[in-house]
Amino acid sequence: MNDSATQTAYRTWMCVVCGFIYDEADGLPEEGIAPGTRWEDVPETWTCPDCGVTKDDFEMMAL
């Protein structure tokens, strides 16, 4: 039963360069990323709005 709750929980990702936080629950509407957008669904071409690095420089934050 817990597995489905774990799969649906939103996660947050942090830029290791500047500390910018991407929260899946909030998305980034100003960047065209709707609230609820999963990290894996954020385009590979997207870059950090604060420092310009790619998704490769983000790490999932521990809950």
Side-chain angles (χ1 to χ4, degrees):
M1 244 187 202
N2 255 351
D3 287 344
S4 62
T6 304
Q7 290 173 350
T8 58
Y10 288 115
R11 297 165 298 175
T12 54
W13 298 78
M14 184 179 74
C15 177
V16 297
V17 176
C18 74
F20 176 83
I21 303 292
Y22 175 75
D23 187 327
E24 292 178 335
D26 297 337
L28 285 170
E30 65 278 7
E31 300 253 333
I33 301 172
T37 300
R38 298 294 185 176
W39 182 245
E40 53 269 17
D41 296 327
V42 173
E44 289 300 319
T45 55
W46 179 81
T47 57
C48 178
D50 286 354
C51 73
V53 298
T54 64
K55 286 176 63 179
D56 290 339
D57 290 308
F58 279 73
E59 290 185 355
M60 185 171 58
M61 297 177 68
L63 297 177

